[in-house]
Amino acid sequence: MLGDVRVRSQVGFEPERRGSHPYLYVDFRTLHSRPEAARPVSARNVRRLLSFQRYLHSSRFFHGIPANNPLGYILDDDFTGQAKLMLQKVGNWNFDIFLFDRLTNGNSLVNLTFHLFNTYGLIELFQLDMVKLRRFLVMIQEDYHCQNPYHNAVHAADVTQAMYCYLQEPKLAETLTSCDLLLGLLAAATHDLDHPGVNQPFLIKTDHYLAALYKNSSVLENHHWKSAVGLLRESDLLSHLPTEDRLNMEERLGSLILATDISRQNDYLSEFRTHLDKGDLCLTNGGHRHFILQMALKCADICNPCRPWKLSKQWSEKVTEEFFHQGDIERKHNLEVTPLCDRQSNSVANIQIGFMAYVVEPLFVEWSRFSDTRLSQTMMSHLSLNKQGWNEGRDKQEASSSRASEEQRTPATKDSNSKVLPQGSKGS
């Protein structure tokens, strides 16, 4: 199945491929672009890399690394000060990924994932070359588009941190193998790799070549998976493993990432609910463990409403900003505006209330049935409080809009400069 990973040199947002698009003016490289001049790139690099993000932004991470001591840089310089102190509490549910990203100068995904690999002893267990691992993580981080308000490397780092919290839950910690842990962290870090900042319906209705390549099915998720496999192969991170094992890991990685397709939410939820009703989940079974990893990644991907309000609100505003940006592009180019992306008929509160009620809560209710722990109780508590917060905000906004409309309908009967005498007083 993975023979078509050669599309690493084909599936990128390459300028020459855009000639087949009917909407030539929809340039994905500038969806959320800033007025910065792109660096000149060689044709060789363009052919070699999958994503346009990689050839628009050359690596900043290795600039200035002393050539004679790369490991010293990896092990010492990054983990200092407040960032190092934060990593000591990386398993806390209130971990502030925004603060951590600032403390690491925008390198939260690299530092967090490297730390977790080291924490679990995966570097030694799988005999990973630390320089190759670091290079691989840097490539992952750079393949996320920092211009995206939501689907960027900080989101990937946040999902990876949440995934770690779930991997620490007793039922999983007692049964997961080292391979499960490796794949769980890799899937979390790469699950939205090279996300263009628009959704699948947008790609389909603009006849984007990715939609054609994946036959309009899990378009983005397939692209994230194949992009991740491309980086694994380019970095040679797992090249020392037997070919059969390596291919099996790539397959399982794809199965995890594909599970994040929100359009298949009900399928996974129904299967999860059936297992819980029957009580037949056995985590000594490899297939069942993999399914639970899929569910854990799905939870990590959409856990923002279950975070403390301060964090949850920021994520809500960022994802809505990205939705509305897509809607603006659709309106600008006379495309049908996706209802969720229409800023004229939607608000952050309305979007979040619906998302919590129909997507988040049903999933986390079942996860709490599976893993009834303090963490699950905390998440459900935050979810309830956040729902209340958005409902109150919406009610205030609607009341304010209603008052404003009423004032507009009521004509002024007095000159604003005239004095109105109280009732019963004598007129002049």
Side-chain angles (χ1 to χ4, degrees), residues 175-291:
T175 57
L176 293 179
T177 67
S178 57
C179 190
D180 294 329
L181 296 172
L182 176 70
L183 288 171
L185 294 176
L186 281 179
T190 62
H191 79 285
D192 274 333
L193 195 61
D194 198 32
H195 197 293
V198 291
N199 60 18
Q200 175 172 292
F202 185 94
L203 297 179
I204 292 174
K205 68 186 174 186
T206 56
D207 291 332
H208 194 274
Y209 70 89
L210 283 178
L213 179 66
Y214 297 116
K215 299 179 175 23
N216 297 344
S217 177
S218 298
V219 174
L220 288 170
E221 290 74 25
N222 271 298
H223 180 56
H224 305 324
W225 168 32
K226 297 302 175 67
S227 299
V229 170
L231 292 186
L232 276 171
R233 295 186 177 185
E234 183 177 338
S235 67
D236 287 331
L237 181 65
L238 304 178
S239 60
H240 60 288
L241 299 179
T243 301
E244 184 178 354
D245 292 345
R246 192 168 64 247
L247 292 176
N248 178 262
M249 291 179 73
E250 291 175 354
E251 286 277 1
R252 291 178 63 192
L253 178 65
S255 178
L256 290 174
I257 293 175
L258 288 172
T260 62
D261 184 352
I262 202 71
S263 69
R264 298 185 59 198
Q265 175 88 347
N266 289 336
D267 296 337
Y268 284 96
L269 191 56
S270 176
E271 183 178 353
F272 194 27
R273 190 176 288 125
T274 298
H275 277 305
L276 294 176
D277 289 344
K278 292 181 177 180
D280 63 356
L281 278 173
C282 178
L283 297 189
T284 58
N285 178 292
H288 286 189
R289 284 201 313 276
H290 184 74
F291 177 71

Side-chain angles (χ1 to χ4, degrees), residues 93 162-176 272-273 275-277 281 283 291-293 295-296 299 362-381:
W93 188 244
M163 188 67 167
Y164 173 68
C165 291
Y166 300 149
L167 296 177
Q168 293 289 99
E169 290 286 73
K171 283 188 177 181
L172 279 73
E174 294 166 4
T175 57
L176 293 179
F272 194 27
R273 190 176 288 125
H275 277 305
L276 294 176
D277 289 344
L281 278 173
L283 297 189
F291 177 71
I292 290 302
L293 276 180
M295 299 309 299
C299 287
L363 176 61
F364 279 89
V365 164
E366 300 307 324
W367 181 262
S368 295
R369 285 178 63 194
F370 165 72
S371 183
D372 185 14
T373 63
R374 182 177 178 181
L375 173 58
S376 293
Q377 295 165 9
T378 298
M379 291 190 298
M380 294 304 293
S381 175

